[in-house]
Each structure stands twice: as C-alpha cells, then as structure tokens.
Amino acid sequence: MNQSGIRFESFGLSHPGRVRELNEDRYLIAPRSGLWLVADGMGGHDAGEIASSAIVEHLSTIGVASSAPDLRARFEDRIERANTEIRSIAKARGGGTIGSTVAALLTFDRQFACIWLGDSRVYLARNGGITQVSRDHTEVQELLDRGVITPQEARVWPRRNVITRAVGAEEEITTEIELGQIFPGDVFVLASDGLTAHVTEPEILESVLQNNAETACRRLIDTALDRGGTDNVTVIVLKCHDASADEATVVPASAWGARHGG
C-alpha cells in the first residue's frame, strides 16, 4: 500500500499463549483505510472475546477516508458504536463489566495518529531507537506518575494489570491521541500486554530492525511463548518504506483536527 511516497509492509499474528485456552485478543490490518489495530478483551469467560470482536467488526467498516479529519471521525464513530454494543451485551448478560483495550494506528499523507485506551501499546522504532508512543491507562502507571512507586516496584506490583480505561467500561469513552509525522524507515509495533509482559523494548527493537514484518512478528510471538506465554499475545509490525524518489508534501499534524482526550 502506497501513501504519499510511503509503502507500507505489515503483518499481524495472535496466539492464545501457553496458559489460557481462549484467545480474547483481536487485531485488524486495513492498509487501504490507513488503519492498524490491536484489541485485548476483558471480562471473564467469553466476554472479552465478544468485546474485542465487536471493536474489530465495527472498525472493519471504516472504508477509505477523504482526509485525515475524516479518517479520525470515522474511527471515533466506530469506536463509539462498539462501546454502545458492548455495554448493551453486558447489560443483557447481567450487568457485569465487559470491555477491551484498543491500540490503533491511523495514517494519512505521511502523518500518523496513535489512538488508544488501556494497556495495549504502540511503539515506534526510528533512527536505531525505540519509543513507546502510547501511555498505559493502568493503576500502576498512575502510581508511577505520582511518584508513589518506583519502576522496579511497578514490575512486580500486585495490581499492575488493572486498567483504568477500556471500550465498554463507561457510557462515554475517553481516548488518548498522539500525532506525528511518518518517515521512511520508521517501524511501528502494536501489541497486547501478552507481549510486553515477556519481551523488553530493546528486544522488540532488535527483532524489527533485523527482520521483515512477518518474521519479526513470528519471532516476537515465539519469544513470549518461550518465556511462559502467560497471556494471549498479539503483535502487528508495520514497516514504512520510501516508495518515491520525490519528496512528498507533508501535511501538518493539525490536519487531524483539534487534539482532545488525554
């Protein structure tokens, strides 16, 4: 898929892990729409699977947008529809909480928008380094931000997996967004916490720099499984290649529309 001189090479893979029988993770790769997404369901029994599947089903109808604001509006519309559906299902099942994380990457004209809720993550590998673009919506992250615990304590904190935002958890959802420019050579990695529980950022970086998208995905999944695979694990790797000798027109990040959330 070409987009203003950028050619995208992407691959996704999901595995139930070594401990759980049911895979409640889902992912979506829709390069024609400029959308890549990971959803990690929660709620017990088969409820998490219902939530993550609803998100993917709604987002798969996003189509091809005419502009960055149009793409963002389409995304937000589908997420709100999924939220309504998930809450209706939860009510019909007795009122318990059913929900799912979302980590999504939207691209349009060499610009990206990272939109997320929960602790599924988006990483960006660039110029030999790696950055976590998203920021976990978890109790442990809030404690870290307030200086209550140290990063060392956070790794073993008893409630480190308790998330504070999810699609389906509240009547009105609040996404968080990070905007940026895409450069040839960039590599985005979207993953559920089943990967990041076992694989470090330097290891993610090494894998995506040394391999194509498919091989990197498979090796990251295999590493998580070799180290216990205590949760469902899902990974998408998106490599951005230079598809044009001419410099494409760069659209400013504000083209996505007014920034909100957070």
Side-chain angles (χ1 to χ4, degrees):
M1 174 65 185
N2 267 333
Q3 204 173 94
S4 292
I6 298 290
R7 178 175 60 83
F8 295 127
E9 171 206 350
S10 59
F11 189 82
L13 196 62
S14 187
H15 194 285
R18 299 296 191 197
V19 176
R20 302 191 178 185
E21 295 182 2
L22 180 66
N23 190 350
E24 296 185 322
D25 286 2
R26 294 291 183 272
Y27 69 92
L28 176 64
I29 295 178
R32 279 185 54 80
S33 299
L35 171 64
W36 292 260
L37 177 147
V38 167
D40 179 357
M42 63 178 199
H45 305 295
D46 61 347
E49 178 186 15
I50 291 171
S52 57
S53 295
I55 290 168
V56 168
E57 287 167 7
H58 281 282
L59 266 297
S60 65
T61 69
I62 198 168
V64 178
S66 59
S67 65
D70 181 32
L71 178 56
R72 180 174 170 182
R74 289 171 182 236
F75 178 88
E76 291 173 348
D77 171 71
R78 268 70 174 179
I79 281 290
E80 289 171 1
R81 292 186 196 181
N83 190 63
T84 299
E85 179 181 337
I86 293 165
R87 290 181 63 78
S88 294
I89 293 171
K91 184 177 180 180
R93 292 165 66 102
T97 299
I98 298 175
S100 175
T101 70
V102 168
L105 182 74
L106 283 64
T107 65
F108 197 96
D109 281 346
R110 286 205 178 205
Q111 297 295 316
F112 74 82
C114 170
I115 304 177
W116 73 97
L117 297 96
D119 61 354
S120 292
R121 294 178 178 178
V122 179
Y123 291 97
L124 171 58
R126 174 182 287 171
N127 297 328
I130 188 167
T131 303
Q132 183 180 335
V133 182
S134 60
R135 177 180 166 279
D136 294 351
H137 295 141
T138 59
E139 284 189 4
V140 73
Q141 185 64 54
E142 292 180 355
L143 293 172
L144 276 169
D145 293 343
R146 288 157 46 198
V148 175
I149 61 174
T150 66
Q152 292 75 23
E153 290 172 325
R155 284 194 285 270
V156 294
W157 197 255
R159 290 171 59 84
R160 62 187 176 278
N161 295 323
V162 177
I163 64 174
T164 55
R165 297 191 203 178
V167 181
E170 302 288 343
E171 186 173 347
E172 293 186 7
I173 58 175
T174 304
T175 58
E176 194 163 352
I177 186 167
E178 188 67 30
L179 309 176
Q181 183 177 341
I182 300 171
F183 295 94
D186 285 350
V187 184
F188 291 93
V189 179
L190 289 73
S192 63
D193 64 339
L195 177 76
T196 53
H198 297 290
V199 184
T200 66
E201 291 183 8
E203 290 172 326
I204 295 172
L205 177 64
E206 180 181 14
S207 184
V208 300
L209 291 184
Q210 294 184 354
N211 302 285
N212 61 26
E214 178 176 353
T215 302
C217 255
R218 295 190 182 280
R219 291 192 175 184
L220 289 171
I221 294 278
D222 286 345
T223 300
L225 296 177
D226 289 344
R227 294 175 181 175
T230 55
D231 198 356
N232 307 150
V233 54
T234 301
V235 182
I236 294 175
V237 174
L238 168 63
K239 293 200 159 196
C240 307
H241 303 290
D242 190 353
S244 173
D246 299 325
E247 214 37 56
T249 301
V250 174
V251 179
S254 59
W256 289 99
R259 182 190 295 263
H260 68 274

